[in-house]
Amino acid sequence: MLELRNVSYTVTDNGKKEILKNINLTIDDRFVVITGPNGSGKSTLAKIIAGIITPTSGQILLDGVDITEMSITERAKAGISFAFQQPVRFKGITVKDLINLAAGRKLNFTEACNYLSEVGLCARDYINREVNASLSGGELKRIEIAMILARGTKLSLFDEPEAGIDLWSFNSLIRVFEAMHESIKGNILIISHQERILEIADKIVLLKDGEISQIGTKDEIMPQILGTSGVCPQIKE
Amino acid sequence: MAMKLDKIQLNLLEQVADLHEVPAGAYNIRTNGTSAGRSTTANIDIVSKEDKDGIDIIIKPGTKKESIHIPVLLSESGIEEMVYNDFHIGDDADVVIVAGCGIHNGGDLASKHDGVHSFFIGKNAKVKYVEKHYGYGDGKGEKIMNPVTVIEMGENSYFEMETAQIRGVDSTNRKTIAKLADGATLIVGEKLLTHGTQQAITEFEIDLYGEKSSAHVVSRSVAQDDSYQEFISRVYGNNECNGHTECDAIVMNNAKVTAIPEIKANHTEASLIHEAAIGKIAGEQLIKLMTLGLTEKEAEEHIISGFLK
Ligand SMILES: Nc1ncnc2c1ncn2[C@@H]1O[C@H](COP(=O)(O)OP(=O)(O)O)[C@@H](O)[C@H]1O
Ligand SMILES: [Mg+2]
């Protein structure tokens, strides 16, 4: 269980800007989906949870333990995983290296293959590929997800996992999340704009201008965000 | 042939040639300024030079799938030498040449190995050349290596050169000069890591004379602490040809790296590209690995070892 208490983040480099304001949120469900317009602070919130950004004020608790002062590494070891919105490329580091680092041990081919095939990649073609500019955005996104599977931690954050996975179906992505929950029984937090992903949410959080504007079950929230307010129906996939 | 190498020499041999013992095939092992062992085959002859220090390696035309090891080991402090090795590679040959220099300097005098390796490559011949530099020992004496490689490539020949110098060498000034005939292909991969107050200068001068000749040079380096690196490449396209050089450096601490590219087209059909990128390790790479549970230090080590792999 993750708790955010009064978390705020303000930057001051070019005049004061409040990026997140007083976020209070408990993540104790299978799937929590955070949605909201671009620039509303979703990625910033995920980075604060992973320890990449230090909040200006507020507290973060993981299973009741205050982790606000913990480093990225300590939080990773405490059980937080984070799939980036924009995955990172490395020269010379292979898919296998990253999956092994994520798993925390050397996996055999079958084990590594399982993680990759879950995200729709054939291990034989990818395991020894370098995670460099030769991989497409969609391939990188899937490798990013495979790393989270290999980590198998109690809290997993996915920042817009659907972006760029054109060749792979949403159904597969949703199956990955479901299988992940079945095997780990942890909490999964997904940042997404996708209706199909919102549909599996136990809880939807709508972020606007750095504030939680709505929070509730999908039945409560979905009609509002898909209906009149906000999203243009033409843009919906 | 009876040849005895001591423990230090065996370690150097392993580092520069991946060999645990005296190799199979043709070899010439030079230790502390003298030849410690030599073996030739039906197709590969090795002859000492009479006018200066060094050897001639003569590879018969058509020699296939043979290897030649010519490691140089310096385990006594204070040795300075200048060696000339000439490789005559016959037409259509296909061979692997492993050279390398290992210096153990436990004393306070400088140890220095300067070598000129000249390759005369016949038509259609294919050569893979691997060269590693390695130095260790806690004496105050410097470990210095200045290798010069001259490559004359015949028609449709192929030369692939892999060099690595990871720590250990205090000062190095490497020069590689190549001239390519019609259809010849040159591939160079260089890996370099300097630390402490080490200095490394690598210089390439490639003349593409032949029609449809091509050269591809990739240098990857890491400069740590107070070390200094300079990468100079000159590629001249004198015919319809392709030239590509790439210098990719990670700079850390107070280290400095300079990349000086020069590409010159003396022909309208010459296509030449130079790419150079110097910078610190990307913050997002460190962060990604830290989110997998690595400390910053561990993340840095993984990124560097991958980069130089
Ligand atoms: N270091 C920063 N300095 C100034 N503005 C920032 C900084 N980091 C993020 N922002 C701004 O904060 C807002 C929220 O960004 P982000 O969390 O990436 O939004 P989202 O993921 O919801 O699209 C954006 O307007 C972004 O430009
Ligand atoms: Mg975002």
Side-chain angles (χ1 to χ4, degrees):
Chain A
M1 184 175 78
L2 184 84
E3 267 181 275
L4 301 176
R5 292 186 188 160
N6 289 316
V7 168
S8 295
Y9 180 59
T10 307
V11 287
T12 43
D13 20 303
N14 264 330
K16 211 172 130 178
K17 186 175 175 196
E18 283 186 285
I19 292 171
L20 288 173
K21 292 166 231 171
N22 258 328
I23 305 291
N24 284 290
L25 181 62
T26 301
I27 292 158
D28 194 17
D29 317 70
R30 277 185 327 154
F31 302 120
V32 175
V33 177
I34 298 183
T35 193
N38 287 325
S40 57
K42 304 180 297 297
S43 293
T44 306
L45 188 60
K47 286 176 191 165
I48 283 175
I49 296 169
I52 297 166
I53 292 177
T54 309
T56 319
S57 59
Q59 243 187 334
I60 307 162
L61 292 93
L62 182 66
D63 289 338
V65 179
D66 190 332
I67 60 163
T68 320
E69 300 298 318
M70 279 191 189
S71 68
I72 303 171
T73 310
E74 287 166 329
R75 291 188 205 199
K77 287 186 172 151
I80 298 178
S81 297
F82 179 26
F84 291 8
Q85 181 172 5
Q86 264 129 12
V88 181
R89 291 178 155 96
F90 295 88
K91 284 178 178 158
I93 293 184
T94 61
V95 172
K96 182 161 82 190
D97 295 334
L98 286 184
I99 302 266
N100 283 342
L101 287 174
R105 67 191 172 89
K106 257 205 160 76
L107 301 177
N108 63 36
F109 182 80
T110 319
E111 291 172 308
C113 178
N114 284 341
Y115 293 126
L116 288 171
S117 55
E118 280 207 55
V119 296
L121 297 175
C122 169
R124 240 179 305 119
D125 299 342
Y126 284 93
I127 196 94
N128 292 316
R129 287 276 297 272
E130 283 186 26
V131 187
N132 60 17
S134 76
L135 291 172
S136 75
E139 289 167 330
L140 282 171
K141 283 296 260 192
R142 292 194 237 178
I143 291 161
E144 189 80 2
I145 296 168
M147 281 195 265
I148 306 301
L149 297 177
R151 275 181 59 72
T153 53
K154 59 188 172 198
L155 177 66
S156 302
L157 314 174
F158 295 89
D159 196 349
E160 299 197 21
E162 73 273 14
I165 54 162
D166 45 332
L167 294 173
W168 190 43
S169 71
F170 270 97
N171 294 341
S172 314
L173 182 62
I174 286 162
R175 259 205 313 277
V176 166
F177 291 141
E178 282 167 351
M180 205 176 147
H181 182 264
E182 254 153 54
S183 65
I184 304 163
K185 302 274 183 285
N187 310 122
I188 298 175
L189 177 71
I190 309 165
I191 294 171
S192 178
H193 298 288
Q194 261 298 326
E195 192 179 333
R196 312 250 289 275
I197 289 177
L198 290 169
E199 268 164 9
I200 63 161
D202 300 302
K203 187 195 256 168
I204 296 177
V205 179
L206 178 61
L207 214 57
K208 263 186 193 162
D209 298 326
E211 284 180 295
I212 294 180
S213 85
Q214 307 254 9
I215 190 163
T217 63
K218 64 168 186 271
D219 297 330
E220 292 161 4
I221 309 286
M222 287 276 275
Q224 307 181 45
I225 44 181
L226 297 173
T228 50
S229 68
V231 188
C232 161
Q234 253 68 41
I235 303 176
K236 283 193 301 177
E237 204 193 14
Chain B
M1 143 168 297
M3 185 175 67
K4 265 197 70 72
L5 296 175
D6 62 28
K7 255 180 103 170
I8 287 176
Q9 292 169 341
L10 280 171
N11 178 43
L12 290 172
L13 189 63
E14 185 177 343
Q15 293 295 334
V16 301
D18 286 327
L19 292 172
H20 301 282
E21 51 193 87
V22 173
Y27 65 82
N28 186 78
I29 300 177
R30 186 183 167 93
T31 57
N32 298 319
T34 53
S35 178
R38 177 176 300 175
S39 166
T40 58
T41 70
N43 296 318
I44 301 172
D45 201 12
I46 300 175
V47 187
S48 296
K49 282 193 184 296
E50 305 205 332
D51 54 334
K52 51 192 169 192
D53 230 349
I55 49 178
D56 281 298
I57 296 106
I58 300 134
I59 299 166
K60 279 191 188 160
T63 301
K64 298 282 181 203
K65 304 284 166 217
E66 288 202 42
S67 66
I68 304 104
H69 285 84
I70 52 156
V72 171
L73 314 174
L74 300 184
S75 54
E76 287 169 13
S77 186
I79 291 192
E80 300 202 4
E81 59 181 11
M82 174 82 209
V83 179
Y84 296 84
N85 294 336
D86 291 346
F87 300 80
H88 304 271
I89 296 145
D91 294 350
D92 304 303
D94 182 352
V95 292
V96 175
I97 299 169
V98 181
C101 179
I103 298 181
H104 171 266
N105 193 345
D108 294 338
L109 298 168
S111 296
K112 179 171 169 190
H113 173 80
D114 291 353
V116 178
H117 284 183
S118 301
F119 294 85
F120 304 95
I121 305 169
K123 288 179 193 167
N124 306 313
K126 193 171 170 213
V127 178
K128 170 148 187 181
Y129 175 57
V130 181
E131 188 180 283
K132 284 192 194 172
H133 290 167
Y134 175 71
Y136 79 112
D138 2 299
K140 271 185 266 159
E142 283 201 307
K143 297 168 281 289
I144 304 167
M145 295 183 198
N146 297 312
V148 174
T149 311
V150 178
I151 311 158
E152 300 214 356
M153 300 186 64
E155 278 171 37
N156 299 316
S157 63
Y158 176 93
F159 190 83
E160 185 182 338
M161 173 168 165
E162 222 177 73
T163 74
Q165 180 174 308
I166 308 297
R167 300 179 194 273
V169 179
D170 296 298
S171 163
T172 190
N173 191 340
R174 155 191 291 284
K175 197 162 181 179
T176 305
I177 301 162
K179 293 182 170 64
L180 284 75
D182 288 354
T185 303
L186 173 68
I187 311 257
V188 181
E190 176 183 71
K191 305 266 156 88
L192 184 63
L193 187 150
T194 54
H195 67 137
T197 56
Q198 295 175 348
Q199 278 210 29
I201 298 174
T202 62
E203 207 172 323
F204 291 91
E205 194 172 307
I206 298 169
D207 257 294
L208 296 153
Y209 286 113
E211 195 179 330
K212 297 207 158 59
S213 57
S214 75
H216 183 74
V217 177
V218 177
S219 167
R220 283 216 177 152
S221 71
V222 176
Q224 301 178 325
D225 307 326
D226 296 301
S227 64
Y228 177 73
Q229 295 179 7
E230 202 169 298
F231 175 85
I232 303 160
S233 72
R234 299 187 196 95
V235 178
Y236 303 137
N238 310 308
N239 207 324
E240 178 195 338
C241 63
N242 271 296
H244 175 218
T245 65
E246 189 182 321
C247 160
D248 207 337
I250 291 178
V251 52
M252 300 168 71
N253 318 109
N254 300 309
K256 293 186 174 65
V257 176
T258 308
I260 308 167
E262 180 185 338
I263 49 181
K264 186 160 141 193
N266 295 318
H267 194 281
T268 52
E269 296 298 318
S271 159
L272 307 172
I273 296 172
H274 177 83
E275 297 172 81
I278 303 174
K280 61 175 195 229
I281 294 177
E284 56 170 18
Q285 294 183 336
L286 291 170
I287 289 171
K288 181 73 253 180
L289 297 190
M290 284 155 70
T291 65
L292 302 180
L294 275 68
T295 63
E296 187 168 353
K297 187 102 190 74
E298 289 164 345
E300 198 175 279
E301 285 165 8
H302 271 276
I303 292 163
I304 290 172
S305 78
F307 183 70
L308 294 176
K309 194 167 56 191

